Amino acid sequence: MVPLSTSDLNNPNTFPTFLGLPPEYEINDAYFSSAKPRKHWCFLGQVVSSGVLVRLMLQVEDKKGHEILVAFHTEDRGAMFQAFCTPGSTIAVLYATQHTFAFSPPGLRLEENARIKVFPYTLEVMLRTSKAIFERDRAAKCEVCGRADENVKKCARCKTAWYCSKASPSSYDSQPQG
């Protein structure tokens, strides 16, 4: 099995800001084919505040600093996420769309628990870590000696590791695989 390549959380196509999300009731060809997603995208936002009246409601700040309302219209009204949605945590919403609320500015209306994940890290930490991992994964450096030059070759077996002429693929094979 070939390992999946990393995705950079800073990529605006895969991880758009709120204003980059498609509107809820508009079939946008860039995002949808019929009513099914044409590509994968995920909204990331840092929780600024949270509260519960009838359902869990969050104020979230996206990567560009825009504050938006996130309302949980899930079966449990967000109870499953309430303890995790603390200020400073980051919420990820797969296939998020802009929703127009009747009495509030546009935001996100969440209806499926399976498309929601909350991380106990600030958005800034997640973006910085993603950038470091993405750059590391893209660097062609020997897995054994760390050398980076034009003689470094990609491992034919796993297609992700690199080795140089000083470190043969068999040397790489003997290294522990994280």
Side-chain angles (χ1 to χ4, degrees), residues 90-173:
T90 298
I91 186 168
V93 182
L94 187 62
Y95 306 128
T97 57
Q98 293 181 19
H99 177 78
T100 303
F101 293 102
F103 302 106
S104 300
L108 301 180
R109 177 184 166 122
L110 308 182
E111 297 179 359
E112 296 180 46
N113 284 342
R115 292 186 177 182
I116 306 163
K117 177 75 177 160
V118 180
F119 299 95
Y121 311 104
T122 65
L123 182 55
E124 179 185 351
V125 166
M126 290 182 65
L127 294 174
R128 190 172 56 238
T129 304
S130 173
K131 184 177 181 196
I133 291 169
F134 192 73
E135 287 173 355
R136 183 201 70 207
D137 285 356
R138 297 299 180 250
K141 290 191 280 186
C142 177
E143 295 288 325
V144 177
C145 71
R147 182 175 160 190
D149 65 24
E150 66 277 354
N151 295 325
V152 178
K153 296 176 177 56
K154 194 176 253 189
C155 174
R157 184 175 48 90
C158 73
K159 310 241 187 300
T160 59
W162 296 84
Y163 65 92
C164 68
S165 58
K166 289 183 180 176
S168 70
S170 59
S171 297
Y172 162 72
D173 288 342

Side-chain angles (χ1 to χ4, degrees), residues 16-79:
T17 62
F18 178 71
L19 296 176
L21 295 174
E24 185 175 36
Y25 296 111
E26 181 180 304
I27 301 294
N28 181 324
D29 289 340
Y31 288 93
F32 295 99
S33 172
S34 299
K36 295 182 179 184
R38 179 181 295 259
K39 66 177 189 173
H40 299 296
W41 73 94
C42 183
F43 172 80
L44 298 173
Q46 182 170 306
V47 177
V48 174
S49 64
S50 66
V52 177
L53 222 56
V54 174
R55 65 187 82 258
L56 180 60
M57 307 279 270
L58 308 174
Q59 278 301 119
V60 171
E61 191 173 277
D62 71 9
K63 293 190 291 186
K64 293 284 188 184
H66 300 115
E67 262 195 43
I68 61 161
L69 172 68
V70 176
F72 283 75
H73 287 258
T74 55
E75 280 187 31
D76 67 353
R77 297 182 177 159

